[in-house]
Every structure is written in C-alpha cells, then in structure tokens.
Amino acid sequence: MTTGPTVLLFGASGLLGRRVHAALGVDLRVCAPARAGCDLAAADPVALADLLATVRPDVVVNCAGRTDGGGTDLLRIHVLALARLIEAMATTVPGARLIRLGSAAEYGIVASATPVAEDHPARPVSAYGLSHLTATQLGELAGREAGVEVVTLRVFNPVGPGLSPQSVLGRAAALLRVGDGAPLEIGLTDSVRDFVDLRDIASAVRAAVLAGALPVRLFNVGSGHAVDVRDAVVALARIAGHSGELRPGAFTATAGRSAAVPWMCADTSRIRQVLGWSPSYDLADSLKALWVDHQDAGPHSRR
C-alpha cells in the first residue's frame, strides 16, 4: 500500500534514477515516464503541463542529466530542461516541490584538507560544473519569483553497483573483470575525492522528498571523507583478487571536468542536521558491491 506524497520522477532509467526509483517505490506512489515518452530536454511545454496535470505530484524529482558532451548539450539538458519544468510546475502544480541533482563540480577548486560547505563560493572550472551551477542558480531564482520550491542535492563522486566505465572506479572494475593478473593500465591519478554510494544518494533524495518545510534548499550529498583516488583503485583491485601491477595509464575518466580539481570533500553538516540524512555505506561496502555487480555482468558486458 502506497502512502505519503505522490512523486513524478524523471530520469528513472539512468544510473542514479534507477536507485532513486527503487528507494521511493517502496511505499510511495511514483510515476516514472520513460524518456521516449517525456524527454525533458525536448519536451513540448503543453505535453509537459498535461503530464503534471494528470499526475498531480506533490514532489517532482529530476534525475535526468549527463556527465559528458559539449557546453551546448550540457546547458540544454541541465538548464533549459529545468527552466521548462519550472515554468510548467508554476502554472500547473505551484505548490509542489522540485528536487534536482546537482554536482560537486559546481565548486571548482577548493582548499585542500578543508571540507567544502554549501555556502562556499562556487567557481566551476568546466562546462559540466558551470551547467550545474547555472541550474542551481535558476532553481534559487524560481523559488523567489515563480513560487516553485527547488531543492538541489549537490552530489559528490558516486560509487557502487552499476557504476559505468565513464568513472575511474567503474573503468577499473571493468578492466579487473577481464584481466588475467597481468599489469593493468587503469589511469591512476593523484587526486582526492569524496566517494558516496549510489544507494546513499537515493536515500538522500528520499529524505528530501519526505521532509517538511525547509529552511534551506541546497545540500551536499557526500560521505564527508576525503579519499585518494589511487588508494580507492588499489582497494578495489585487492577486493577483486588482482595480484598484478597497477600502472598509470592514459585513461582519465573525467579529465575534461575534474582534472583541474586536485582535492574535493563534502561538509555534510547541513544535510545531517536539516534532513537527518547520513550515509549507510562506507567505501569498502561500495567497492565490494561494485565488484560483485561487474562479476555478475559477465565477460561480454558493455556497461
């Protein structure tokens, strides 16, 4: 039996969207249109308004987005799609909450050894980060002028089952799965990141869906722990039973948007205090789940 708010979820077929759908669908009514039926980046305003009028959601969750592509595509998907959604909500379901997934890339370069809080100046160094920051600012403006409550969850580095080879740990898992113990060129880097489990990100979205009145609408979603990427790759290799050498390779999964940022870690004080959320999985749990998932995918998987 479903209880609580009705949720309209966009991007339910994506990496994060699948987890969010599972977390919300336990006891909430969730409408999750397929991308073929409603692609926010190209949706007709009238059709979008009709969808909102039919579902009458209390909360809209937008997990649609992408991590690669040119500036024009990123702005279209992260900003223009959001603007279209806000306009439709303002006229159709003005009392509904809109939750969107942002990115730690919005912060840009921060001081090492100091976890970054939500009030830290955001100075992105990539088109990806800029597109998300623009969307965050658009959401803030909508709250003041369009009467739509837009909540942004600034997600740090996702990890866990289902991770794609576009990320360094997803790439490492794919190479380890097909490796034979020979030296692997994985693309090791000296950067430091905050890895947060995909399942914990989904639980953060659920917390935002179920929250009452919010004094603030921007939250970091991270583990709060700074981890050397090289150490994370080595830990994954140990879990996989790899006894060979790991060599720095040419592959750098997110070079276009994060190579210039040597250190990143979330201050999670706000989300803990306001939403009562904290991560349930540590990095070891996430790496084990990632490895099991890649083993289950089989030798011919094209994740």
Side-chain angles (χ1 to χ4, degrees):
M1 178 179 179
T2 58
T3 60
T6 296
V7 180
L8 176 59
L9 171 63
F10 293 101
S13 63
L15 175 67
L16 287 172
R18 293 194 299 271
R19 294 289 172 184
V20 170
H21 196 184
L24 298 178
V26 172
D27 56 358
L28 302 179
R29 179 183 174 229
V30 181
C31 176
R35 182 177 177 181
C38 186
D39 183 354
L40 279 181
D44 175 75
V46 174
L48 184 56
D50 287 345
L51 175 63
L52 289 165
T54 299
V55 178
R56 304 302 301 180
D58 302 294
V59 183
V60 176
V61 178
N62 183 16
C63 293
R66 61 185 302 172
T67 59
D68 58 1
T72 300
D73 284 340
L74 292 170
L75 287 171
R76 177 176 59 86
I77 292 167
H78 295 148
V79 181
L80 295 182
L82 179 66
R84 186 177 290 116
L85 182 55
I86 288 172
E87 290 174 359
M89 290 180 64
T91 58
T92 310
V93 286
R97 171 176 292 169
L98 171 56
I99 299 171
R100 60 169 296 272
L101 301 182
S103 170
E106 297 174 49
Y107 288 117
I109 299 173
V110 302
S112 297
T114 304
V116 60
E118 290 85 351
D119 57 1
H120 189 282
R123 301 187 181 95
V125 295
S126 66
Y128 175 79
L130 178 61
S131 69
H132 268 298
L133 177 59
T134 304
T136 296
Q137 293 172 333
L138 176 63
E140 293 171 351
L141 182 65
R144 296 192 298 268
E145 297 190 354
V148 177
E149 181 191 38
V150 182
V151 177
T152 294
L153 302 180
R154 221 169 235 171
V155 177
F156 282 63
N157 285 67
V159 64
L163 199 64
S164 79
Q166 288 184 315
S167 68
V168 66
L169 291 178
R171 174 64 173 173
L175 290 174
L176 288 164
R177 175 166 48 81
V178 299
D180 57 3
L184 294 181
E185 293 187 356
I186 292 183
L188 299 174
T189 71
D190 293 324
S191 58
V192 174
R193 292 291 182 265
D194 182 328
F195 294 104
V196 57
D197 195 283
L198 292 160
R199 295 161 292 185
D200 282 325
I201 298 169
S203 72
V205 173
R206 180 180 170 87
V209 166
L210 297 177
L214 293 172
V216 289
R217 298 174 184 175
L218 174 62
F219 300 93
N220 285 338
V221 181
S223 69
H225 298 290
V227 178
D228 190 300
V229 172
R230 185 183 300 270
D231 291 342
V233 172
V234 170
L236 177 61
R238 289 174 178 167
I239 290 170
H242 179 75
S243 57
E245 181 183 359
L246 300 178
R247 296 175 178 171
F251 174 80
T252 304
T254 55
R257 60 187 172 91
S258 65
V261 180
W263 197 95
M264 184 61 69
C265 182
D267 181 331
T268 59
S269 301
R270 176 182 290 183
I271 194 170
R272 290 172 184 267
Q273 294 169 3
V274 177
L275 295 185
W277 174 91
S278 60
S280 298
Y281 300 91
D282 62 22
L283 183 57
D285 294 328
S286 303
L287 293 177
K288 290 174 184 175
L290 170 61
W291 177 240
V292 169
D293 179 73
H294 271 264
Q295 286 182 301
D296 291 342
H300 302 296
S301 171
R302 288 186 153 183
R303 285 182 184 277

